Amino acid sequence: MMKAKPPRRLSLNDHLMFRVMRTVYGRMEDYSPADYAYWREQGWLEPKARYFTEHARPVLLKELYARFVAWIMGRSMDKQVRAQGE
């Protein structure tokens, strides 16, 4: 009889990659519609979206740090887009 593996704990890199990619693709509707549509269809752009596997447990501090980094990055991207539009 096989035992189910317990969910693995996500690394900081796991958290960062998901949050950063979410930030980027969430702003790519005009530049990369296919990527934007895929992320939207998966539900990963929703505010309550979690890391995209059911078999992983997020770590609160890593998740908070990743959200902060993604927020900073998103602000920077928004400023660059506004500057190009002026």
Side-chain angles (χ1 to χ4, degrees):
M1 176 179 234
M2 285 181 53
K3 289 186 179 181
K5 290 184 180 180
R8 73 177 185 86
R9 294 178 74 83
L10 298 174
S11 70
L12 179 57
N13 190 53
D14 293 331
H15 285 281
L16 281 170
M17 291 305 295
F18 177 70
R19 291 294 168 189
V20 167
M21 289 184 338
R22 181 176 170 220
T23 296
V24 170
Y25 291 127
R27 288 168 168 79
M28 297 296 286
E29 186 172 14
D30 295 334
Y31 304 102
S32 183
D35 289 325
Y36 176 84
Y38 179 76
W39 274 69
R40 189 187 69 238
E41 289 165 9
Q42 299 304 312
W44 297 333
L45 298 178
E46 296 298 319
K48 301 260 183 191
R50 306 280 305 242
Y51 189 73
F52 46 81
T53 177
E54 300 294 322
H55 305 291
R57 287 186 346 202
V59 179
L60 181 60
L61 289 176
K62 292 176 185 177
E63 175 67 9
L64 291 174
Y65 178 74
R67 284 176 183 245
F68 177 71
V69 169
W71 177 75
I72 294 292
M73 184 177 173
R75 286 183 51 146
S76 175
M77 289 176 70
D78 292 343
K79 284 180 185 177
Q80 288 176 4
V81 168
R82 279 195 304 270
Q84 289 176 355
E86 294 177 351

